[in-house]
Amino acid sequence: MRKAKHLSEYREAASLFSVASKVYSSYGNAYKNATKLADVYARKGQVQISARGNSYLADHIRSALQKIM
């Protein structure tokens, strides 16, 4: 996580923290902030797309992206 520079690397860190959070959940789910770190790196790994145009275009793009995710 400290050397992450690409969005995919942040998503991978989020995935690993999420797994750690599940593993440690029976111990109070607070071990080394795994849950919080999973959320932080999930947000850092998000791809943001901006498009100029009308709402129809934005809705079309959103729909297409949701189909492939």
Side-chain angles (χ1 to χ4, degrees):
M1 78 179 183
R2 290 184 182 127
K3 294 181 181 182
K5 294 182 181 177
H6 301 286
L7 295 176
S8 61
E9 293 170 329
Y10 286 118
R11 289 190 296 270
E12 183 179 358
S15 175
L16 293 172
F17 279 122
S18 179
V19 170
S21 174
K22 289 176 187 172
V23 169
Y24 294 120
S25 64
S26 60
Y27 301 105
N29 204 17
Y31 185 75
K32 295 196 178 194
N33 283 332
T35 304
K36 181 180 176 184
L37 290 171
D39 292 338
V40 167
Y41 286 100
R43 276 185 258 117
K44 286 186 176 187
Q46 289 178 344
V47 176
Q48 296 181 9
I49 298 174
S50 300
R52 289 184 177 208
N54 57 26
S55 63
Y56 171 77
L57 179 61
D59 291 339
H60 187 64
I61 292 170
R62 186 177 300 110
S63 174
L65 290 173
Q66 287 174 344
K67 287 179 184 178
I68 63 172
M69 294 182 156

